[in-house]
Every structure is written in structure tokens, then in C-alpha cells.
Amino acid sequence: MDLREAQGYLDGLHGEFLVSMHSFKERGKGYQMSINSVDRGISRIATRLVVLVLVFLLMISMAIAQGDPELETAVVKMNRIWVGVKANGDKGTFEHRVGFFPNDYDILGHRGQNLDTWGGAGFRLSTTNWYDPLDTLHATAIYGPKSDFMPLGEVVDGGELTNWIRFGYPTQTIDFEDIDFDDFGDVSTAAFGDKTFDQIVEVTSRNILGVELNRKVMAWSQNYHDDYVIVDVEFTNVSGDTLHDFYINIASNGNNTHRSNGSNPSPSSEEKYDNATTWQHYYGGRVGDSLRVFYEYSADEPNRPGDDMGAPVVTQGGRLLNAKLIWYSILHASAAPYSDPLNDVDDFLQPKITYLGVSSAIDNVYPGEGSDDEFGSDNYWALAGGYSNLLPMSGDTIPGTFHGFNSDELGSSDYSIADAINNNSNNSKMWCTFGPYTFAPDQKLRIALANGYTGMSLEKAQEIGEQWMIGTLQDPPGLPLSETGYFPANFMFPPDASEMDKIKDRWLSTGIDSVMQSASRAKWNHDTGYRVPAAPPPPTNVEITGLGTGVEIKWTDPEAEARADFAGYRILHRLSNMDTTFYEEIYSSDASDIATEHLYVDSDVLIGGQYYYYIQAKALVGEADANAYPANRGRIIYSGRALQPNVKWINPPHFSQENLNEIAIVPNPYNINDPLLDAQGWTDKRGIQFYNLPAKVDITIYTEHGDLVQSIEHDSPVSSGYEHWNMISRNQQLISSGVYIVVFQTPAGGLSYQKFVVIR
């Protein structure tokens, strides 16, 4: 029996089971059934219940063994937001840091282990007076992707998970070595139609309430729309019953994430920050608000001395490790169920309910008897607005809505002051509830939202931190409030914050304005039907080679050059893979830069350094492009940086020469604590470099006592006068401190001796 056959058997058994239950109840009305009938009925029900459980267990074991569609996954990694999508909408476990996770691009990777909205997970649906498959009546019913009745969730036939990407990775050859990466989706241009997203993951699953969820997760690679993903979900009632008081509930935060920046170099244990130490705020609940945005930003840890908003790393020049904001914005929420999509109208009042907190702690806030609310641990009381009504948002809130407090408006410098936030694990989430709806059979609802990671750039965060440390930082220009910047008017700085600390924090507050701009672009994107200008395709082939004259870069990109909006190329390089170094533009061209194969030589390099490169195609957004966000018209957009993995570096060599007396050994002496080792990219702390070598020369290294350490045959196909040695002996041991003798010998008999010193 395969999984679908098991499901069919289960459905048949379930139908027979419900008929038996109904017959049993009918015969029992008026107490007109005999004791024997009761016994037989109970026995029959118990037998069917046991079989039902066994079939569930069978389905689980078969799913694991056969590769169940409910457990299929995909990864969205087209831009700065990398998220995993699980077919049944449940939580998963995703690791994005292995292989290619570029630190300077400031990527946020959601791990998926919580039911957050990032990849379209965690939609909780609720209704009232609902009969479950065992015919038990529930006054309130709340179910997420899985339940006791659907232990794996369920992906509907024909709705299995698909993952389409517009562009595959280019072929890359770095120093004659082919770099192979598997594409993270199925490459197709036909799958996108007239939409401009560069990746779409789609799947249709069914909730136990009898509601099908068609989830689309979309990402763009062009630089004005690369800091968010959009989750677009259509709900269809296929239960055959009208669902009353129907709510859709979601939650999200940035706690369950990895940042690509902040680990190289890693801060000390005393300077590491907790992703859950955040202020949380909903904008969209007051009269006059123009968007619906939940966001969170770095808070001060009240148990640490000083002000650590933004997570400054004093031991690394003060750079701010947590200067960006996590956010999600509602782009569309149906005003009422519909049958014809043309009748689907957005209701700005949805979500009508928002609140903050940890679910278990919210349960304890319920003002009833005991620690559990009367609706059970699933927090129906909070979901339906009770918690928000108990602790409401201040100010002129929109009538007919129930928005809870914002933690940064409570008049305290402690982010965790509220009862539902302050517990041992914290991890307060930002909750939204849509509804209530009366959801009839075959009707639909739709919700679209953007999940983003936006704020101060890494370069700016480093600059602000450095100026904060030396006491020269000035306030950002154009702040709406001179004291609190973009924070609320009653925002409380840490009690021991200096004036310089407050200036730093006001710089952090500008990230709120960045979030609003990004959310506005996402809303525009949705409202134009996902047709913002498409990013140009990345190069199809890249070849980078270190030569004696510099680094030679070759590339082809005929698809980009065939576009009417083609605007040339740019090349970026950086020295080392440290978090504290950034890419700089070294080449830029215009629309005339069309060739069968392009060639550029980067001669402005440090010989022997570790260099990384990006080649990006450019396109010009039209001044009259109606689909382009107004502020972006007439600007340049670039092919996505995440589409060119650059895990392999180039060590630019020096051109060869034949005078053995000109050979140089660098560094000499070698000191493992020399900061230049980091600056030049030798993060493994190993690297003796030989310069000005002949094109062919044997290099033999001895201890000062004459013991052979290593032999290197230098024979460069590109006439390189450079050789790097990783300081590993021929016995595969790292050499120790001491004096070493090097013998250089050419095929013609030339001979030269030098020595170098190693200090560890």
C-alpha cells in the first residue's frame, strides 16, 4: 500500500466511522437503546478508533520511507532574505550558512524552526462550534499546519511543491579551477509569465478545518527590491460547511535567524547579542497610518552596564552588529470572502487584531481563574482580541480594531517590562489576526505580506560605531524628533546612556524610516501585480585568473545585452573575507559595452592578497515606467549578487623574473599576531609568500639544523613570479617557531640561499 492508497483507506474508514457514530447517537436518543447495544456501539467505536490511530502511524512511517509530498522543502535564496519552505506549512530546519553565505551582502537566513511567516509557515486557522473528525464539538477550534488528525499536514493532489528560478548560477572558473554549485530551483523563464519575481515557490495544502491554502513565496534579485520576500496566500473553504467566526492568525520575529555578518571576526562572548533583545512596534493601528507594518529593532540589555543598542563591538572598533530591523508588512487582506477574484477588495482595517508576546506568557495574563484561559492553551482569547483589549495600544486607534501595546511606548527603558514579554526564554513574537469572517463553502480569502530585513548598511554601521567610540559622532540630519529621532516621542533611552550613546541610538532609529520605504516599495510591487522592473540576468560564464600583470576577468552575458534596457556592467572586488572589509567598484561601463567575450584586467591589487570579485549586469529603469516605484525611475538596477557565488578567492601573483637575488620572502619575520595577516585575508593564520620568482624554480625549505621541511616545484603556466606556502611540512605538520633556510634552484643551475624567521 503506498501513501495515497493509505490516505484513501483512511478516508473511507473515516467516513464509515462517522456514519457509525451518527447512527450510534441517534439510536441512543431518549435512552431507548439497550445496555448490550451500548456495549456493542462502544466496542465498535473503540475498534475503529484503534484502526484510525494505526493508519496514522502507518502514514507517518510510510512518509518517512517513501519521501512524502508533505515533507518536501525548497529554499528561497534569490536575494538578501533566505528562507526555507516546507510543503505542509509546518516548521522545519534549514541551514543557510554552509558553502555560500556572503557576509558583506548582509543576508538574513531564517532557520525555520519556529512557526514564523518568513517562508509562509505557521498559519493558524480558527473557527467556533466545530465538529472534529471524531464528531466532537469544539466551542473554539484552532489548528495550524498539523493536528492530531493530520499529523503530517496534507498537500493536496496536484498542489505539490514547485520551485522555479529565473536564472541559474553562471559557470565559473577561478584560477583554472571549475567552481560548481547546484541550482537551488528549476530554471525556467516560462514559469513566470509577465511577473518579474526571480524565484517562486508554490504549494497547496489543506488544514483540518477543511480550508486549502495555496501559498506562493516570491523573491526579487534587483537591488531596490532585494530586502524582502512576499508571501501570497489564497484560502479556499472546501469543507462543505460554513465556518463561523473564522480567523487567520500569524506571528513572526527575528529570533530564529542567522546573520551572514558578525562572525568573521566573531565578537567576544561578553559582546555577543541576543536576537530576542528587541523593541517591537506595530504601525497601522492609528488613524492616519498609511501602511501596516510590524517591526522590531535592537534594544538595550538591561542587565548589562552601558547602552548596547545596536550591539556595538568595542573590541572591533565599535562597529554595530545589529543595526538592521526585522519587519513584516501586510500588503493585502480580503475585506470579505469572495467567489470571483474580481470582487476581492483589500481592507486596511485588517488585521483587526495585533499584539506582542510569548504564547505561554500571554496565557498567564488571561484575567480568569488559574493560569490557563478558558479557551485552552491555544490562546483563542488573545487571537480573538481579548489580550489586545486588556492591554491596548495608546493614542487615536482606528475604531473597530483591537491593537495591543507597542513595547517601545510603555515609558520604560526595559524592553521586557510587559508581563507577556518578560519570561526566561523571551522570544516575544509579533502577532496578527485577520477576521472574523463568515466563510461559506467554496468561498476564498487572500492575504499577502512582505517579510524583510532593512536598515543601516554594514559600511554605515561600521562608520557610526567608530565615530561613537572616539566621541565624534553627530546627529543624523532631518530627524522628525530632536530627542528620539524616529523612535516614539516617549521612547526611553537606557538610564546610563550618555549623550554620545543617544546620538548612536538616534542613528539606529533611522532604520525605521528605511523600513517604511522598503514596505512602501513592497506594497507598490503587490499593487502593480508583481511587475516592478526585472533585474538583468547575471553573466552566463565567468573566468577569473591571477596573472603576473594582475587579475584577468573574462565574462559573457548575451541575454543581458539583448535587453532594450541594458546599461553596461560593473565589477566589484574586495580584499579578504573579513566582515570589516567591503566591495568597491573597480569597473563601470555603459550600454555600448557589448562583446562576444569581455575582458578586464584588475592591476590595482596587492600582490598575494585574497581577492573576491563580482560581475554585475546593469539595466536602466525607464523614466516613464509605470510599474517602477516612482523614486526608482531613471535609476540603474543590477543583476543579483546572490546569483554569483564567490567562495573561491584569487591571489594576484607578481610577474616572474630571472634574477635570483631579487626573490623576496614575505612576511619575514613571520609573526602570527601581526594584524596585517588578517588585513590581507590570511584568516587561517598561515602563509609564507615568495615573490619575484623565475617562471620555473625549485624551492626547498630546511630547518636551521639542515632537516628537510618541504619541497615546492614552482612552474607557473601564467609566468607568475609568486608562490604561496601554507607552512605545512612534508609530514603534514604545521611548522614551529624558529629559523628556516630556503634554497632556490633553476633548471639552468642557478642557485640562491635565503632565510626567514617564524614567531608564534
Side-chain angles (χ1 to χ4, degrees), residues 29-80:
K29 288 182 179 178
Y31 306 98
Q32 295 179 4
M33 61 185 300
S34 66
I35 296 299
N36 289 339
S37 296
V38 173
D39 289 340
R40 287 194 300 272
I42 292 175
S43 177
R44 189 162 52 247
I45 292 171
T47 300
R48 283 172 167 75
L49 183 59
V50 170
V51 175
L52 188 67
V53 172
L54 290 175
V55 171
F56 283 149
L57 295 176
L58 174 65
M59 289 177 63
I60 294 173
S61 63
M62 293 176 66
I64 295 172
Q66 298 182 10
D68 184 69
E70 278 73 29
L71 303 182
E72 290 294 318
T73 61
V75 177
V76 175
K77 52 192 299 185
M78 184 60 65
N79 55 24
R80 296 174 188 260

Side-chain angles (χ1 to χ4, degrees), residues 416-482:
S416 62
I417 191 66
D419 289 338
I421 295 178
N422 186 18
N423 75 347
N424 291 333
S425 63
N426 190 42
N427 196 22
S428 172
K429 292 195 175 186
M430 302 176 285
W431 302 81
C432 282
T433 302
F434 305 84
Y437 301 102
T438 300
F439 200 14
D442 300 322
Q443 287 189 324
K444 298 177 182 294
L445 292 163
R446 190 170 72 89
I447 291 173
L449 56 99
N451 293 279
Y453 179 54
T454 304
M456 195 181 298
S457 70
L458 294 177
E459 293 92 331
K460 194 66 177 179
Q462 186 163 307
E463 174 191 335
I464 295 301
E466 290 172 350
Q467 294 179 13
W468 164 76
M469 270 203 67
I470 62 178
T472 61
L473 186 62
Q474 301 292 316
D475 267 318
L479 292 175
L481 298 172
S482 60

Side-chain angles (χ1 to χ4, degrees), residues 362 365-368 381 385-393 402-405:
I362 292 173
V365 175
Y366 176 69
W381 169 69
Y387 175 50
S388 304
N389 199 40
L390 180 69
L391 298 170
M393 180 185 291
F402 302 90
H403 297 288
F405 66 88

Side-chain angles (χ1 to χ4, degrees), residues 537-559:
T540 55
N541 181 70
V542 174
E543 184 177 339
I544 305 176
T545 309
L547 302 175
T549 53
V551 177
E552 184 180 89
I553 304 163
K554 296 179 180 179
W555 73 96
T556 59
D557 199 348
E559 186 178 346

Side-chain angles (χ1 to χ4, degrees), residues 323 325 454-456 486 506-516:
L325 287 75
T454 304
M456 195 181 298
Y486 289 90
R506 285 191 282 268
W507 272 102
L508 290 171
S509 81
T510 63
I512 297 175
D513 183 56
S514 299
V515 165
M516 294 304 169

